[in-house]
Amino acid sequence: MKYIDPHIHMVSRTIDDYQRMAQAGCVALTEPAFWAGFDRRSSEGFYDYFRQLTVVEPGRAAGYGIQHYCWLCINPKEAEDLSLAREVISLIPLFLERPNVLGIGEIGLNKNSKNELTILEEQIALASEYNELILVHTPHLEDKLKGTKLIMDAIKRNGNIDPGRVLIDHVEEHTVEIVLDQGFWAGMTLYPDTKCTPQRAVDILEMYGNERLWMNSAGDWGPSDPLSVPKACNEMARRGHTQAEIEKVSFKNPKTFLSQCSKFKVDG
Ligand SMILES: [Zn+2]
């Protein structure tokens, strides 16, 4: 089996994780810019982070035969300080031409605050100006539904964004349908015990179908499992899904969405 993990934070993972992912069949991954587990104090910290995402991490991945791509942004958790956020946004165009950058992400909302929404709108405008794909983070708290609606409204308000070029991640049972109905792509983020487990993700696939849907591990600095995608594939096999159905969500769908950026080149 070969698969793509389209949302994983490898800067927080060890070489052992790269090795295990390669052994499990990972051929490519995409890494959205996110919170590092602590707040960075200046835009220079982000400049270095963007260098890590565009220079250092692709080299580590290549050592295990995995193609590394990334997304750039200021994440919603660090967007409360408007002047810092705007300094970071001004750095992004310096990196957009790098060969592994696929678009703007993971932008979105965390606590659905006014400042988060302002910075979200400014980054949607940036994506529109540079014609970039968008990867969206939705809140993990109980107001996920409200946050998801606010984000979709902000994207539509821009007026210049094709929803087929936006992936809304961390969907759950109560948000997947409205996301797909409005023409966006949806991502299910798998966690070992909390939030969406591999078992729940397969339940969602069985209820809502497998069009415009992908699975990712989010593997980050906190409790998470970089092998979540192959584990969900095993769960699908256990329930009698065919190899073609498994490959559709673990390889074909992410490839179709990501290939809208011409830099994404994965065989098969
Ligand atoms: Zn993430």
Side-chain angles (χ1 to χ4, degrees), residues 96 103-104 107 121-134 158 160-161 165:
L96 284 177
I104 304 297
I107 55 173
E121 287 171 337
E122 292 180 16
Q123 294 192 97
I124 293 168
L126 180 74
S128 167
E129 182 185 345
Y130 288 88
N131 195 30
E132 295 285 339
L133 296 175
I134 294 177
N158 175 280
N160 206 17
I161 307 273
R165 300 184 79 239

Side-chain angles (χ1 to χ4, degrees), residues 7-9 32-35 106 135 137 140 169-170 189 191 216 218-220:
H7 184 150
I8 183 164
H9 300 289
F34 192 46
W35 192 52
E106 57 188 291
L135 198 151
H137 166 98
H140 285 303
D169 221 328
H170 321 322
T189 304
Y191 290 92
N216 62 80
D220 56 29

Side-chain angles (χ1 to χ4, degrees), residues 197-210:
T197 60
Q199 288 75 19
R200 257 175 79 189
V202 181
D203 290 343
I204 292 173
L205 277 173
E206 290 174 348
M207 283 188 69
Y208 298 100
N210 59 13

